[in-house]
Amino acid sequence: MKVANVDGRLALVTAPGKAVDVAEASDGRFGPDVQQAYSRWAELTEFAATIGAGHALERPVRDEQLGNPVPAPSQVFAIGLNYADHAAESPFPVPEAPPVFTKFATSLSGPYTDVTIPSGGNVDWEVELVAVIGKRAEHVGEDTAWDYVAGLTVGQDISERLLQLAGPAPQFSLGKSYPGFGPLGPVVVTPGELPDRDDVELGTLINGEQVQKGRTSAMVFSVPSLISRLSAVTPLLPGDVIFTGTPAGVGMGRTPQRFLQAGDELVSYVHGIGELRQRMVAA
Ligand code: ZN
């Protein structure tokens, strides 16, 4: 199942560029609210199995119609330093436990946006696999953790490095939470749709030049490990999201360092899910 936010309404993607409105197709059994879908995920998955390509209500969808497929999570978790090759290019060692921060809600956006560069900011890129929670998870073991994942989507953990690393206790959450710094989408894909949910390629291109390319199998802490560790402390709720960390190739780790400039086009992809496109604009 692939779920999208089409013009602010819950939709099932039935074919490339085509979708069915869930409220319409279900005669109101499900409402149009996208975030609510995660609270009824098992039911929705059952319903979606009856909606195939060529459905009478299937409509073409243009990219501009797609919004954030997880528009209002209760909690946003983000994991730092979850790929050894990225830790090596950062000022930090490979962690023994996952460093956790948040991206504040107003930083989240849909998949195709313009992002304003804060004046004087060193704005960097971090493509990430994002896991969306499909049922309440509390003290979950690694062996069953995938059962709590509704689906996976693409995220960009856009980061302003000066603020992120400022002060005696670095401001990870704040430096990564300017408006539009957390694009998500273009769809949420159930893990079973991927050839291997534990091993997908992800990457970033800037103006067509590939700057990041990694595989999620290289994570220091896998998706199940993260769910187990987070849910040991904090119950995870339906519709919560976890940004699972970024592989090597960010701008901060380059010699010389490179940061996003007005006019740059940032493309972030996860194979089997899709891509995000951000145009950077001056403040
Ligand atoms: Zn990140």
Side-chain angles (χ1 to χ4, degrees):
M1 175 169 70
K2 291 185 180 172
V3 160
N5 174 342
V6 178
D7 292 326
R9 295 173 62 91
L10 179 64
L12 296 169
V13 176
T14 42
K18 290 182 179 169
V20 167
D21 185 275
V22 171
E24 205 183 341
S26 71
D27 285 325
R29 182 178 150 209
F30 296 94
D33 189 283
V34 181
Q35 188 67 34
Q36 283 298 320
Y38 301 102
S39 299
R40 296 175 65 189
W41 194 253
E43 263 181 278
L44 182 65
T45 306
E46 242 171 68
F47 172 70
T50 69
I51 307 290
H55 189 278
L57 295 172
E58 186 178 72
R59 306 265 186 275
V61 175
R62 287 170 288 108
D63 284 355
E64 310 87 80
Q65 293 177 273
L66 291 176
N68 181 352
V70 203
S74 300
Q75 307 183 96
V76 177
F77 299 91
I79 308 301
L81 307 167
N82 202 19
Y83 290 77
D85 59 357
H86 172 59
E89 66 179 357
S90 83
F92 304 102
V94 176
E96 285 171 18
V100 181
F101 55 93
T102 193
K103 290 174 80 73
F104 294 111
T106 51
S107 70
L108 301 180
S109 78
Y112 311 120
T113 58
D114 287 348
V115 177
T116 300
I117 296 176
S119 107
N122 288 349
V123 177
D124 206 344
W125 54 87
E126 297 190 355
V127 66
E128 310 204 359
L129 179 75
V130 171
V132 187
I133 298 299
K135 62 178 176 180
R136 184 184 172 98
E138 202 168 357
H139 301 291
V140 165
E142 274 190 46
D143 52 337
T144 58
W146 270 116
D147 299 345
Y148 295 81
V149 177
L152 300 167
T153 192
V154 188
Q156 240 301 339
D157 178 19
I158 301 175
S159 305
E160 198 287 291
R161 300 299 190 192
L162 297 174
L163 179 55
Q164 181 193 341
L165 300 172
Q171 296 275 13
F172 272 56
S173 299
L174 204 54
K176 290 164 172 275
S177 289
Y178 285 92
F181 272 32
L184 291 169
V187 294
V188 171
V189 177
T190 44
E193 298 246 332
L194 300 170
D196 182 349
R197 63 192 181 182
D198 292 298
D199 181 30
V200 288
E201 181 182 325
L202 71 176
T204 301
L205 295 92
I206 299 174
N207 306 326
E209 177 196 347
Q210 183 130 26
V211 291
Q212 286 190 287
K213 184 177 180 179
R215 301 197 72 88
T216 58
S217 50
M219 284 180 183
V220 179
F221 303 100
S222 64
V223 169
S225 171
L226 292 173
I227 288 172
S228 176
R229 287 163 178 269
L230 291 169
S231 75
V233 178
T234 304
L236 310 181
L237 307 176
D240 283 357
V241 294
I242 306 171
F243 283 74
T244 59
T246 199
V250 303
M252 177 180 65
R254 289 165 184 266
T255 312
Q257 291 187 326
R258 175 177 175 183
F259 298 109
L260 292 165
Q261 306 296 321
D264 282 345
E265 188 196 46
L266 181 64
V267 172
S268 318
Y269 68 85
V270 178
H271 278 174
I273 301 176
E275 67 178 35
L276 312 173
R277 285 193 305 275
Q278 272 56 57
R279 173 72 58 182
M280 308 308 294
V281 300

